[in-house]
Amino acid sequence: MTLFDGVYRFYLQQRKVSVFDVSTIIVIVVFLTFACSFLLIIPGIRGQARLYWTLRVLLSLIVGVVIVAVQFTGDWETGWVKANTSYKSFSRALVNADIGLHIGLAGVNVTLMGNPVSQVNETIDYNEHFAWSFNADYDHSYSEGLERGLPSPILYVAEKFTTQSPCSMHRQYRISGHYASATLWVAFCTWLISNMLFSMPVLVYGGYMLLVTGAFMIFSLLSFSTVRKSLVCPIQFGTAVLHTGYGGSFWLTLAIGLLCFVAGITVVTLHYFSLDLLKTFFDLHEDKAEEYQEMTEVYVNPNFVNKGLSPSQPSKLNPKSI
């Protein structure tokens, strides 16, 4: 990094979208492939069972895709602030910009967007990602940002999350994010087990596993929420303060967790109070048993039973005697 006209040069960087990245898109495409494959075989299902199969499969896929996708999103906690702030180091030039902070389970995104975008003869539109996952070094990413000469607002916000910062925000968010991610992967495993139990079919135990899935999703939210109860250093730009709140991924996980609770409770309740309705919804028919129950009497040719009887006089026999 060298000086040019008293300021540091800015270098290009591969940026990451603050909410959706390549990993999230891959997960969504995989689950959409499963959904489309199922839609192709729907015409082969006859009667009212077609609607039941569609509801079961689509709801199950929605739960699965949300559990996996929110692992890679970056909007568990978000915040924006509009401020007049310095743009470069060793420069007194001020810019009016929107500064955004997007916190995910695996890292943080800092967004800087000029208002308007073109100011001080430059295009101010940045979105930088700093990861703290197990295979990433946050401090190293921050050091690379210094070497590239990122804008001062981005470096100021990113510095709050370094391990050397007295705010201890890095430790708080990193640990809570790791625990939330771990509990979500457990929820994904229990979701798979519930689908296996429904297909065996062991309906009541599948309902129990749906309850366990919802419980682990709620546990992940509680783990992430512990950060909000600790002291957080203020992120201030002059008189403007950047405040954060729960983002879309947090509320989506909460909604799907509650959906798992409702579905699990419904399955367990129907198992004990209306088993026939539950079997109808899961398209379970005991065809053989119904056939035997309907065969209350059978008419046979009397010549094979009693040759003394006239062929015009059929005899009525019990199925058990055959």
Side-chain angles (χ1 to χ4, degrees):
M1 182 172 62
T2 58
L3 286 172
F4 179 76
D5 291 339
V7 298
Y8 287 100
R9 289 177 178 263
F10 288 83
Y11 297 93
L12 296 177
Q13 181 199 14
Q14 184 178 359
R15 301 176 181 178
K16 175 181 176 180
V17 181
S18 60
V19 179
F20 293 102
D21 61 351
V22 177
S23 301
T24 308
I25 295 175
I26 291 175
V27 171
I28 295 175
V29 169
V30 169
F31 278 87
L32 283 178
T33 303
F34 287 135
C36 293
S37 301
F38 172 75
L39 292 176
L40 292 177
I41 66 174
I42 282 183
I45 304 175
R46 295 179 299 175
Q48 200 173 14
R50 180 185 304 172
L51 176 61
Y52 297 152
W53 271 95
T54 304
L55 289 176
R56 293 202 313 270
V57 173
L58 292 183
L59 286 176
S60 180
L61 288 177
I62 289 174
V63 173
V65 70
V66 169
I67 293 176
V68 179
V70 294
Q71 301 267 6
F72 308 102
T73 54
D75 61 337
W76 278 72
E77 188 173 342
T78 61
W80 285 91
V81 66
K82 180 179 293 186
N84 291 318
T85 179
S86 60
Y87 180 54
K88 300 178 180 179
S89 301
F90 309 105
S91 175
R92 297 181 179 180
L94 298 178
V95 296
N96 185 277
D98 295 324
I99 305 165
L101 176 61
H102 314 277
I103 302 174
L105 300 183
V108 59
N109 279 67
V110 184
T111 303
L112 178 67
M113 183 176 296
N115 192 15
V117 176
S118 298
Q119 296 184 53
V120 292
N121 296 325
E122 292 187 20
T123 300
I124 305 175
D125 186 7
Y126 290 86
N127 182 58
E128 305 297 329
H129 179 70
F130 303 90
W132 55 48
S133 55
F134 286 110
N135 59 347
D137 187 349
Y138 184 92
D139 290 343
H140 179 69
S141 300
Y142 176 74
S143 299
E144 288 182 343
L146 289 173
E147 294 175 0
R148 291 193 304 270
L150 293 178
S152 298
I154 294 180
L155 295 175
Y156 168 70
V157 176
E159 185 183 9
K160 297 287 185 179
F161 295 88
T162 59
T163 57
Q164 304 300 325
S165 175
C167 299
S168 298
M169 295 173 66
H170 175 83
R171 176 175 173 272
Q172 297 169 8
Y173 278 98
R174 185 172 183 267
I175 293 177
S176 63
H178 285 172
Y179 277 109
S181 178
T183 52
L184 281 175
W185 283 121
V186 175
F188 180 73
C189 293
T190 57
W191 170 76
L192 291 176
I193 295 174
S194 69
N195 284 277
M196 291 186 226
L197 293 173
F198 283 136
S199 62
M200 289 178 65
V202 189
L203 303 182
V204 65
Y205 295 107
Y208 288 144
M209 292 310 297
L210 273 181
L211 293 175
V212 175
T213 302
F216 275 105
M217 295 183 73
I218 299 300
F219 289 157
S220 68
L221 299 177
L222 294 176
S223 174
F224 188 81
S225 298
T226 56
V227 181
R228 306 286 297 179
K229 298 180 181 179
S230 57
L231 294 177
V232 179
C233 289
I235 302 177
Q236 191 166 355
F237 298 90
T239 58
V241 180
L242 196 158
H243 296 285
T244 60
Y246 294 129
S249 294
F250 182 92
W251 297 116
L252 181 60
T253 305
L254 177 61
I256 297 300
L258 295 178
L259 176 63
C260 290
F261 272 120
V262 172
I265 292 173
T266 302
V267 171
V268 174
T269 303
L270 291 177
H271 174 78
Y272 289 106
F273 295 98
S274 183
L275 185 58
D276 293 336
L277 179 60
L278 182 62
K279 288 183 177 181
T280 301
F281 183 76
F282 281 89
D283 194 22
L284 299 178
H285 300 290
E286 299 179 357
D287 295 333
K288 294 183 179 180
E290 292 176 358
E291 289 177 2
Y292 283 120
Q293 290 176 2
E294 292 176 358
M295 289 176 58
T296 57
E297 54 185 19
V298 179
Y299 291 90
V300 298
N301 193 333
N303 292 324
F304 296 97
V305 180
N306 189 356
K307 294 183 179 180
L309 296 177
S310 174
S312 61
Q313 297 177 354
S315 62
K316 185 181 296 184
L317 298 178
N318 195 299
K320 296 181 179 179
S321 64
I322 300 174

